Amino acid sequence: MKDYLFLIPVLPFAGSLILALTGRRLTKSVIALVGVGSVAFSALVAMVIGYGFVTTSPSARPFTQTLWSWMQFDGYAPAISFSLDPLSLIMVLVITIVGFLIHVYSAEYMLGDEGYSRFFTYMNLFVGAMLILVLADNLVFLYLGWEGVGLCSYLLIGFWYRDPVNGRAARKAFVVTRIGDTALAIGLFLLFTNLGTLNIQELMEAATTKWPVGSETAVLAAALLLGGALGKSAQVPLQVWLPDAMAGPTPVSALIHAATMVTAGVYLIARTHVLFELAPPVQHAIAVIGAITLLIAGFSALAQHDIKRVLAYSTISQIGYMFLALGVGAWSAAMFHFMTHAFFKALLFLGAGVVILAQHEEHDIFKMGGLRSKLPLTFWTFLIGAASLSALPLVTAGFYSKDMILWQAWSSSSGNVALWAAGLLGAFLTSIYIFRVVLITFFGQTKKEISYRPGPKMTVPLVILAVLSIIGGFVELPDTLGNLPLFSHFLQPVFREQIVQHAEPETEILFQLVAALVSLSGISIAYLFFFRSPHLAEKLAQSRAGAALGRFWFSGWRFDWLYEKLLIDPFLWIVGLNKNDFIDSGYTRIASVNRALHSILSRTQTGNLRWYAMGIAVGAVVFLGLIIMLTP
């Protein structure tokens, strides 16, 4: 089976290449067949190889396939080589299956767009780059995929490039993530300089052998890798690009948020977790950053009017939960939440896309209403996604993954009550802001008539994702609710068990009850303020404090303003001072001297032969005189 591992990323790349070369000459049905089919076959190959992987003896794992040597430098020869272990298998299955469903949805959603072929070219390229990232067995090859998803995000966020707003959003995403990419590149140089390899498994073994826990070099290397993860995964302070990334088509938003791009940072930390275990200050910083991010994004989501921006801030918050889990050493919990989040967040974005199309491309939830009866299937699937996001107890996948994170934020040796409380408050905010969207959009009075009803290409992915958003959590049941840790046991060859401090069953049951009550309380408050008594929400929003907080949260805690004052304005001021470019002024003076000499010498070119003859004679006399004078 492992001989066909290369097909998983190659098939989407092949689809992208075919569409790039021939897309303009193909009909839209053929374009959709190539674009969707390439990812479908990739998913099929991934499932077949995954089945072979699961049924193979653990001693034969991981699956590794080396195609050729890529380059050679300083005695190290990174290869075009793929490696499949439990962690990368989970990533590959989520990327290909969820990516396939989004592609199917896109075949109908983008049907009327003039850039139909270009869209699927970029989407296939995006999936292929992400698969390279998660299958690479060395960090050089991983970095190729890392930069690939950055390029594709720029192309897709700015897909409708004729609108300057979309172009600015694409450039913003590219520049902000470039900060993290630079940190990651420096980190790779540091690792190679000190350890002599960038092969992931060899690197982890060498780091464990050479660096003691708390080593300054290990801390610096881990901090640089964390910088890369913060940029791609949109965590504080590099989260500002993601809300603006909603400028792209809705399927792009679903792909970025659910299966690619923002999860790259989570994967990078999980893949190199050994380095972070050797750098406890950095690992603790991951947990703190995750806790801060999930709260900042949660409050920001409460104040948004654009349905996609609510979901964008929700993604930032949920990735914050994953970082919180990574920071307390709950590696399996982070990856479990990654999987469930992919299901319900893809569902929510695709559902939002249906709503936007049905409401004449309207994004403002306050200009919508009464869609529950007009789009019943979209309503029920969106409701399931919202319930899973808000961790509705017992029946949703989000409950089990989020509960696992909250419990380990308290019980693990790296956790504490502050991190647990931050996660709990974030869960409360999540329930409020997502059910605010549900109640305002699907209930109340109809404000606009339906202009579009989705066909099966859009509704079938919604139904499948809704089912996954429910049953996806039952692969990891805690001790108190059935004790079925299939997911974490599958990942045991990759991650070591986290040591717990407070693991009594009675304590865990109490914490689960608290988490359940918090989720239900948030839903109840949303029901009260946005359905039963909406005048209470209006009164609160119109109060002086409420209005000020609303503006502050609506602006994303004014991070854009802060960066403009600290970075952009000073840069523009320096540019203004140097508008004549002092570096170029030196070269300008040299050119001026040359022009002056040219002017002087050009006067000797009179065209009069007598003057030329006299010049030759005078020159000869001077030359001979110098020879006579200088000869001893």
Side-chain angles (χ1 to χ4, degrees), residues 2 5-6 8-9 49 53 60-67 79-92 130-139 141-142 199-202 267 271 494:
K2 65 181 181 181
L5 192 58
F6 75 97
I8 298 176
I49 292 177
F53 181 89
R61 303 174 188 170
F63 287 177
T64 302
Q65 182 182 28
T66 301
L67 299 181
I80 303 297
S81 182
F82 304 103
S83 180
L84 188 73
D85 66 356
L87 175 59
S88 54
L89 177 59
I90 289 170
M91 295 291 299
V92 163
M130 189 66 188
L131 289 170
I132 289 289
L133 192 157
V134 300
L135 284 171
D137 84 330
N138 64 80
L139 291 178
F141 198 23
L142 182 150
N199 179 278
I200 295 173
Q201 295 304 319
E202 294 175 1
Y267 173 77
R271 173 55 69 198
V494 181

Side-chain angles (χ1 to χ4, degrees), residues 123-208:
M123 290 282 277
N124 280 188
L125 190 63
F126 205 172
V127 172
M130 189 66 188
L131 289 170
I132 289 289
L133 192 157
V134 300
L135 284 171
D137 84 330
N138 64 80
L139 291 178
V140 180
F141 198 23
L142 182 150
Y143 193 74
L144 177 66
W146 185 275
E147 291 298 302
V149 296
L151 169 63
C152 293
S153 68
Y154 169 78
L155 295 173
L156 286 166
I157 293 168
F159 180 76
W160 290 316
Y161 58 87
R162 290 188 177 91
D163 187 342
V165 173
N166 298 340
R168 284 196 296 271
R171 291 193 298 274
K172 183 178 181 180
F174 193 79
V175 170
V176 174
T177 56
R178 179 62 49 190
I179 297 170
D181 296 351
T182 303
L184 176 58
I186 296 171
L188 298 189
F189 286 123
L190 178 65
L191 288 170
F192 180 76
T193 302
N194 285 271
L195 301 177
T197 182
L198 288 175
N199 179 278
I200 295 173
Q201 295 304 319
E202 294 175 1
L203 190 71
M204 298 303 105
E205 293 172 4
T208 304

Side-chain angles (χ1 to χ4, degrees), residues 347-563:
L347 172 59
L348 290 169
F349 266 110
L350 298 186
V354 174
V355 170
I356 290 168
L357 282 182
Q359 294 286 275
H360 307 270
E361 296 293 337
E362 180 60 65
H363 287 234
D364 191 336
I365 59 175
F366 290 101
K367 296 180 181 179
M368 304 174 186
L371 297 179
R372 176 170 57 94
S373 58
K374 299 181 183 300
L375 296 170
L377 188 143
T378 302
F379 164 68
W380 285 108
T381 54
F382 195 93
L383 181 64
I384 290 172
S388 191
L389 171 59
S390 60
L392 190 69
L394 302 179
V395 295
T396 62
F399 168 75
Y400 293 100
S401 60
K402 194 171 291 186
D403 174 72
M404 191 176 179
I405 292 175
L406 291 174
W407 171 240
Q408 295 203 34
W410 163 263
S411 64
S412 75
S413 56
S414 302
N416 57 58
V417 66
L419 295 175
W420 170 79
L424 202 64
L425 177 56
F428 179 67
L429 296 173
T430 301
S431 297
I432 297 175
Y433 69 65
I434 193 58
F435 273 88
R436 168 179 174 262
V437 172
V438 171
L439 294 167
I440 293 174
T441 302
F442 291 97
F443 291 83
Q445 295 181 348
T446 300
K447 297 184 176 69
K448 287 186 178 182
E449 292 301 320
I450 297 296
S451 62
Y452 180 84
R453 293 188 182 275
K457 290 178 183 177
M458 293 176 68
T459 55
V460 170
L462 294 179
V463 173
I464 294 173
L465 288 168
V467 172
L468 291 173
S469 296
I470 295 174
I471 67 172
F474 295 108
V475 298
E476 182 72 24
L477 300 180
D479 294 344
T480 56
L481 295 172
N483 190 21
L484 189 68
L486 297 178
F487 189 88
S488 55
H489 280 185
F490 182 66
L491 286 174
Q492 271 188 356
V494 181
F495 303 127
R496 293 184 299 178
E497 284 289 336
Q498 176 66 26
I499 300 174
V500 296
Q501 291 179 325
H502 319 288
E504 298 81 1
E506 298 81 5
T507 306
E508 187 171 2
I509 291 174
L510 176 62
F511 275 68
Q512 287 167 347
L513 288 173
V514 170
L517 287 173
V518 164
S519 173
L520 294 172
S521 298
I523 296 172
S524 300
I525 288 177
Y527 174 79
L528 174 65
F529 278 82
F530 303 106
F531 182 78
R532 184 71 178 272
S533 304
H535 64 278
L536 295 177
E538 293 175 5
K539 184 177 180 180
L540 184 62
Q542 291 171 2
S543 67
R544 187 173 181 179
L549 272 178
R551 289 192 298 270
F552 184 61
W553 292 341
F554 181 81
S555 67
W557 294 55
R558 304 201 73 183
F559 270 88
D560 283 321
W561 174 86
L562 179 65
Y563 292 154

Side-chain angles (χ1 to χ4, degrees), residues 11 44-45 49 62 179 213 237 265 267 307 310 339 354 372-373 377 425 446 460 513 515-516 587 592 598 603 621 628:
L11 285 168
L44 182 61
V45 172
I49 292 177
I179 297 170
V213 175
Y267 173 77
I307 188 172
V310 174
M339 183 184 73
V354 174
R372 176 170 57 94
S373 58
L377 188 143
L425 177 56
T446 300
V460 170
L513 288 173
Y587 299 105
S592 299
H598 165 75
R603 294 174 183 175
V621 170
I628 294 170

